[in-house]
Amino acid sequence: MAEGLRRVEFPLRVEHLTKRFWQGGAVIEALRDVSLTIKQGEFLAVMGPSGSGKSTLLHLMAGLTKPDEGHVWVDGQDLTVMPDRVLSRFRRRRIGVVFQAFNLIPTLSAKDNILLPLLADGQAKQAEKVLPALLERLDLSARASHLPDALSGGEQQRVAIARAVITEPSIILADEPTGSLDSVTGQSICRLLKELCREQGRTIVVVTHEPAVAIWAERIVVLRDGRIPTSFFTAQFRDLHQLAAHYQDVVEVMPEEARQ
Amino acid sequence: MKAVWKLGTAYFLRHPLRVCLTSLAIVAAACVVVWVVSGYDAVVAQFGEHAAEYLGHYDFFVVPEDENYAYLSAEIINALEQDPLVAEVAAVSQTPVRLINPNAGGPMSGGPLMFSGRSMQNGPRRDSKSASGAIPNRPPRRPSDATGGDQQAQGRGGPPDARSGGRPFFFRTPMLVGTDAPHPPYPLAEGVWLDPDLPEQRHGVLTKSLAEQLGVKPGDEVLVIFGPKEFSLKVVGIVEQGAMPMGMMMGAGATYGTKPNAAPTGLAAGPANAALYVSPFLAEKFTRGTAKINLINIKLKEPSSSSHLKQFRERWELRLADVHPAASLLGAGDLKAGMEESMPATNARRQAWAATGLSLLAALFIIFATLSMGVSERVRQFAMMRAVGLTRGQIAALIFVEGGLLALLGWAGGLAAGWGLLLLAAKAQPALFPNGVALGYRCLLFTGLAAGGGALAAAILPAWRATRVRPLDAMTPRQTPMPALRGLMPAAVIGLILIVINPLLVFVIEATDAARYALFEALGCTSMSVGFLLLAPAAIVLVEKLLGPVFARVLGLAPQLLRMQLTGNLWRTVGATAALCVGLGLFVAIQVWGYSMLQPFVPGDWVPDALIAFQMGGLPDVEIDAVRKSEGIIPEKCLPLAVEQPKLAEDLTGSRRHASVTRQDNVIIIGLDPLTAFGGSDPLLKVRFVQGSAEDAVAKLSQGRYCIVPDHFLSATGLKLGDRFALLPPEHPNKPVEYTIVGAVSLPGWHWMTKFSGLRRREGRSAAMVFAGYEQVRQDFELRQINFFWTSIDKNVGVDRVGKLLQPIAERNLGERQPVNPQGTWSFAARMFGPSIRITTPDDVRERILARAEAMIWAMSRLPLVTLLITSLGVVNTVMASVRARQWEFGVLRAMGITRCGLARLILAEGLLIAVIACLLSLGFGVLAGWCGTGISQYVSFFGGMDTPLLIPWMQLAMGFGITMGLCLLAAVWPAESAAFREPLSLLQAGRAAL
């Protein structure tokens, strides 16, 4: 386990989460009564078709928005009752977030982007000690001073991952981290996340609609229409195709009328 | 075009807030123009009415044009009477006189109503109150010269000169008008008109304003004083006469301040506003035969016929110019034209143009910033438009359409809002609008020029940028490279070269005054403004680089977060900064120019503690010691002064060509003990010798006709040390006395020290204060008595006590009031002790001049500050756009853990950085413009000619900079609040949608 990681049995827990959105006068329930528990060091994938609520679940877990009902517990702290100032600090220190694309601040170098959470905390100086090793680990040493527009998609995403881990957070949340990448680069990102989980005992939650990404996780939670109909472990599948077939079965369960 | 129109209006509907903010700023700018230009419209709207009032019963008048022969020949009168179009010809003489109401008692009133600016007339004085501003009398120096009032002042013998008629300055001189017209020229208010069949009857008719001033009505008696003689007559009627149209006295024909001895010609020779009408017989008698016909009033048979008017004018205009003496024909049109050129109208016109210019610039930069933002945000849209087939011209037209729509909204809104505000203000405070309010064609034109002109100019660069977008940019997102300082250097270098042009034109290049001023206006100011504009991008990059980290630390932010905050969209920042600089730069320039120009007029440390004047009578030599020994006076630092104000024998300063504060036809010569004044280690007058030395000067002054002059006197005259110049003693103008210059000193503030102290004995203005030996001056100018002392005062006693203690000395030496300029009698302008003692201290003068100057400078600064306020709306727009463009980035920052407060401080920092850049650019522009302004003033301003060191009033500038920082901070509050209080997810989603 990485130095500085806090050992908590269930670093992430959501209970009875419900989130509604207003869209053109109608109320859309993106999530309905979702509960989920994630163990320390677990690599979890959240899958589901477009509009299933998976990104909404991730955003709630990251404290980027508040649920209409339910709670989110990170390291035993309920995010839903935290004031914004406290939540911001908490997110800065305990939660690492990786977005799909346009992750980085275009006017900051790769190094400054990585240090961003620590800059916000006024602790950039301390990170200087661990930064070289992290850059080395992510194969970014030669690109540290470059601006994002000078980096490839894969390099940008690696910078985003470095930024997510620099504060030794309790959890890392990645929203479609390979969505803007080609398949080869995407696989390298997944491998990197897996290594971080295995080598450093990091708890990682990845949202994806791609089975090729989800297979890297230990457990897959499927979301459909804002609910979790099922979850399963990837170890039970022989290969990607089997996994993909099972996933298709889960998400494409049709109503009786449609079969006739 | 339809597609362009549709795209433009769709963009507007998509960004209502931006459109509102931009339009609001243009509305405000247009409001300023409406406010100022309507004042001009109101002034002009009255010209027709004023002209008709002034003409009265008549349609034309004929006036002399030759100042050397200011009368009209009988030949013209006869010819006019023969003209078939003419119904009536009334030839009148107008001669300045003094009028007294013998039954009024108390202060002398009615005349001369105010100082005529040139001559002192003899005559008894009833009282010594100075507040009426009546000309004080001088005792006749030679009894045999009591033949004419002007004579003594002019120092020449002979009868009063009819040419010199006491031309009207600011104030009106009563005129004795000899007329045999059967009808009054203006409607009768009371009584009856003169009977032309009884010319010898001692009857007179007064104009209403004069009657009110004298306090007389029909049946009362008035005394007419001309020279030493008095004549009494009975007032039989009063005519209504409207006030002379504003500016008539300083109209095209007036000669104020330029030719002191010229007779009135042109408009200035028109019908007198303060008149006593008598028969020609009485006029001849009262003026002892010197009254001459100098005005002919003409009434046509059919004045309403335009063809008759035109015919008459065509027939007589050229003919009158050819006769001798030359004359000119003036009608309603000429009066109106004269009023257009009058100072109030000219000032109103200048203000109108200034307001329009400022508003145009403000509108230009605000619209520029808005259009630039739009172009930067829509690069991919433009690429798609190009990809689907729109031409470059259509893209450019789109930008112009957007700019035009913004201008139209601003113009219409500004007119409506401005007019509404004016009506409200005129209703609430009618006293503020003496000319009323009017929305004439000028308002429409000037506001349209400001809004439309600004929009057109503002759209050029954004339109060009938009046309640079390639269709391929729609496929791949184009990364806009961040501007590097190196890339902006060429523009900065060109900017610096352009900036240097103005100082070169003003201070280095040899040219005539007129050519220099024309170049300054047309080329210098423009090149300097463009130069600073070209410097702006580099300034933005530099400030962000150098001051960004400082601001970050002050605001508790990571310095990296402020990097490229402004340069991320450089043109948007340039627009907002330039808009702020329009008002702020002008404010700085006015403050620097004003306080620098003020410097030479503020009494310096050389002035002793007190200048004591004995204004009634004078002190014989035996009393000088009594003054010295008076409590509070430091005896060894008390100097009696022998003072006179003689004319220069030659026009050394060029006053006839171009009068100014240093170019006049006389000097104030002060005879004093040179050793006490300038010698030793602690002289009374601690002057700085610019040429020569104190030791040499002290030695020479004791030996004869040697003098010390102010440094500007040498510049104005071209004289140098060792040169001589001649002065004309008033008592013996035919016997000039020559003085040799042995030293030149710096004398800041001598003008104002002499203005109120009584030192100006003969004239309202003087070219220099000259020091010479005490005995020599007394001898040359026959000064038997002493009226002035310069002295140090014991601070423990104080000036007030000294004044009281000197009163007994004054009382036992009372006599006739000494000649003095009117300001030297104003009771508020110095400390009076009894009727005679007047004490002027440098502290009092400084306080007065600084208060007055500060009020004037701040009045001039109002418009620029209003412009600054308006352009701060542009900053709101800029910061809002910046926030909008970076929503996704802000969402990421919030996701990373930046607090709301941290995000808000980041956005506020952007507003503050824009303010700092504007302050720095404005400081540079303003100081340079102010400095060049003081330089050009030497050549064209009445107040030029003095050595004017550059003074930067930091306290006043700090106020302007503080206002700017405050406005920009305020402008950033709303955008900061709107971003900071959104959920991080909301920012991410909105930002992604924008991308």
Side-chain angles (χ1 to χ4, degrees), chain B residues 752-801:
Chain B
W752 277 66
M753 283 307 302
T754 58
K755 185 168 179 166
F756 297 115
S757 59
L759 285 174
R760 296 187 191 178
R761 288 166 59 82
R762 306 280 174 172
E763 305 280 348
R765 297 196 185 276
S766 186
M769 175 188 272
V770 173
F771 302 109
Y774 180 67
E775 291 302 334
Q776 190 66 57
V777 172
R778 288 189 80 176
Q779 183 188 321
D780 286 342
F781 299 97
E782 294 185 13
L783 298 171
R784 298 180 194 91
Q785 294 173 315
I786 293 300
N787 292 96
F788 298 95
F789 291 81
W790 244 332
T791 183
S792 293
I793 300 281
D794 183 347
K795 301 272 186 292
N796 297 322
V797 177
V799 170
D800 288 336
R801 181 145 172 79

Side-chain angles (χ1 to χ4, degrees), chain A residues 59 65 84 88 91-92 102, chain B residues 560 888 894-895 897 983 985:
Chain A
H59 294 150
T65 187
D84 182 83
S88 298
R91 189 165 53 238
R92 186 191 299 169
F102 308 104
Chain B
Q560 292 89 337
W888 200 94
R894 290 281 280 130
E983 274 194 341
L985 179 64

Side-chain angles (χ1 to χ4, degrees), chain A residues 30-45:
Chain A
L31 283 181
R32 306 178 207 191
D33 194 26
V34 168
S35 296
L36 184 60
T37 303
I38 300 163
K39 291 196 312 239
Q40 175 69 48
E42 186 175 9
F43 190 162
L44 179 80

Side-chain angles (χ1 to χ4, degrees), chain B residues 51-339:
Chain B
E53 252 184 49
Y54 190 52
L55 284 168
H57 173 66
Y58 298 102
D59 303 309
F60 288 96
F61 42 80
V62 176
V63 293
E65 268 304 319
D66 186 340
E67 66 190 34
N68 295 312
Y69 298 94
Y71 63 90
L72 299 165
S73 68
E75 179 199 336
I76 300 176
I77 300 168
N78 292 334
L80 282 166
E81 282 171 345
Q82 306 296 327
D83 191 299
L85 291 175
V86 172
E88 183 187 332
V89 173
V92 305
S93 63
Q94 300 193 124
T95 314
V97 293
R98 295 172 71 206
L99 297 179
I100 293 174
N101 177 357
N103 301 313
M108 185 185 297
S109 58
L113 289 173
M114 289 296 180
F115 181 43
S116 74
R118 194 181 56 76
S119 60
M120 313 292 172
Q121 297 187 16
N122 281 342
R125 188 170 173 82
R126 300 293 172 88
D127 71 276
S128 60
K129 273 196 183 177
S130 61
S132 69
I135 295 178
N137 278 336
R138 227 168 22 87
R141 299 300 174 100
R142 296 184 309 185
S144 61
D145 284 339
T147 50
D150 296 332
Q151 176 186 326
Q152 295 292 347
Q154 291 171 3
R156 300 189 202 105
D161 192 338
R163 300 177 306 172
S164 61
R167 65 178 165 83
F169 261 65
F170 290 109
F171 315 113
R172 299 159 296 137
T173 301
M175 292 287 194
L176 186 71
V177 180
T179 176
D180 59 2
H183 311 288
Y186 302 101
L188 262 176
E190 289 178 60
V192 297
W193 180 242
L194 300 169
D195 187 344
D197 296 328
L198 299 171
E200 294 184 29
Q201 217 171 20
R202 285 214 175 189
H203 285 175
V205 174
L206 282 168
T207 52
K208 192 171 182 182
S209 56
L210 192 50
E212 281 167 1
Q213 190 125 17
L214 285 166
V216 300
K217 51 188 189 312
D220 291 342
E221 188 194 345
V222 289
L223 286 180
V224 181
I225 300 169
F226 186 80
K229 299 282 189 185
E230 283 181 12
F231 304 91
S232 137
L233 56 74
K234 182 170 141 186
V235 175
V236 297
I238 292 172
V239 289
E240 291 276 5
Q241 182 169 5
M244 190 173 281
M246 193 167 48
M248 281 294 293
M249 294 176 209
M250 299 181 203
T255 57
Y256 170 68
T258 54
K259 299 176 185 172
N261 293 320
T265 58
L267 279 172
N273 179 251
L276 170 64
Y277 298 95
V278 297
S279 66
F281 173 82
L282 287 182
E284 185 86 3
K285 183 172 179 177
F286 288 2
T287 60
R288 287 145 60 214
T290 60
K292 294 198 176 182
I293 300 294
N294 48 21
L295 173 70
I296 301 172
N297 296 300
I298 299 163
K299 178 134 188 81
L300 298 186
K301 284 175 181 163
E302 286 180 51
S304 56
S305 162
S306 56
S307 63
H308 280 196
L309 284 168
K310 190 177 169 198
Q311 216 176 320
F312 180 80
R313 180 178 278 284
E314 279 170 2
R315 193 182 303 154
W316 282 99
E317 257 182 344
L318 287 173
R319 189 172 168 182
L320 286 170
D322 285 339
V323 298
H324 176 75
S328 57
L329 184 72
L330 298 174
D334 305 294
L335 292 175
K336 280 198 272 192
M339 285 185 249

Side-chain angles (χ1 to χ4, degrees), chain A residues 206-227:
Chain A
V206 167
V207 163
T208 184
H209 65 276
E210 297 175 63
V213 172
I215 200 164
W216 290 87
E218 291 165 27
R219 180 161 68 109
I220 296 173
V221 163
V222 178
L223 265 175
R224 197 183 76 195
D225 297 329
R227 293 184 194 276

Side-chain angles (χ1 to χ4, degrees), chain A:
Chain A
M1 178 165 302
E3 284 179 31
L5 261 184
R6 296 160 201 84
R7 189 172 178 81
V8 177
E9 191 179 359
F10 299 107
L12 178 59
R13 192 157 52 90
V14 303
E15 287 180 357
H16 305 296
L17 274 186
T18 298
K19 178 70 180 175
R20 301 181 189 96
F21 291 107
W22 285 92
Q23 221 168 17
V27 175
I28 311 290
E29 266 193 336
L31 283 181
R32 306 178 207 191
D33 194 26
V34 168
S35 296
L36 184 60
T37 303
I38 300 163
K39 291 196 312 239
Q40 175 69 48
E42 186 175 9
F43 190 162
L44 179 80
V46 177
M47 290 189 74
S50 179
S52 60
K54 55 186 189 297
S55 290
T56 304
L57 176 61
L58 191 110
H59 294 150
L60 285 165
M61 287 178 184
L64 297 179
T65 187
K66 297 240 190 241
D68 292 298
E69 292 169 29
H71 298 272
V72 177
W73 300 86
V74 176
D75 274 359
Q77 307 267 344
D78 186 356
L79 302 190
T80 58
V81 300
M82 279 186 190
D84 182 83
R85 192 179 188 83
V86 174
L87 177 58
S88 298
R89 284 207 193 101
F90 188 86
R91 189 165 53 238
R92 186 191 299 169
R93 292 165 188 167
R94 306 279 193 91
I95 303 173
V97 185
V98 180
F99 298 99
Q100 176 182 350
F102 308 104
N103 253 302
L104 308 179
I105 308 299
T107 52
L108 296 180
S109 65
K111 176 185 161 187
D112 286 334
N113 265 291
I114 292 169
L115 292 174
L116 191 56
L118 293 173
L119 286 172
D121 226 7
Q123 294 184 41
K125 289 265 184 262
Q126 283 91 317
E128 296 282 347
K129 299 174 205 163
V130 299
L131 188 61
L134 185 57
L135 289 172
E136 186 68 36
R137 175 69 184 82
L138 295 176
D139 195 22
L140 290 171
S141 300
R143 313 295 276 163
S145 60
H146 286 76
L147 290 176
D149 60 6
L151 303 175
S152 68
E155 285 168 340
Q156 286 187 41
Q157 209 61 311
R158 293 208 296 277
V159 169
I161 292 169
R163 182 180 64 196
V165 303
I166 190 83
T167 55
E168 305 284 345
S170 299
I171 55 173
I172 295 174
L173 305 172
D175 185 4
E176 306 269 10
T178 62
S180 300
L181 304 173
D182 60 270
S183 58
V184 173
T185 311
Q187 290 296 297
S188 72
I189 293 297
C190 292
R191 186 174 300 110
L192 177 61
L193 289 171
K194 183 74 178 182
E195 284 167 2
L196 287 173
C197 178
R198 193 171 48 225
E199 292 166 11
Q200 298 177 5
R202 297 201 182 273
T203 307
I204 299 177
V205 177
V206 167
V207 163
T208 184
H209 65 276
E210 297 175 63
V213 172
I215 200 164
W216 290 87
E218 291 165 27
R219 180 161 68 109
I220 296 173
V221 163
V222 178
L223 265 175
R224 197 183 76 195
D225 297 329
R227 293 184 194 276
I228 299 178
T230 185
S231 71
F232 44 86
F233 292 94
T234 55
Q236 71 192 65
F237 299 98
R238 200 171 52 244
D239 56 28
L240 173 62
H241 299 291
Q242 204 178 36
L243 171 67
H246 181 70
Y247 168 68
Q248 288 298 325
D249 288 342
V250 170
V251 296
E252 286 179 7
V253 171
M254 291 196 171
E256 284 296 322
E257 306 82 60
R259 284 203 199 123
Q260 291 165 5

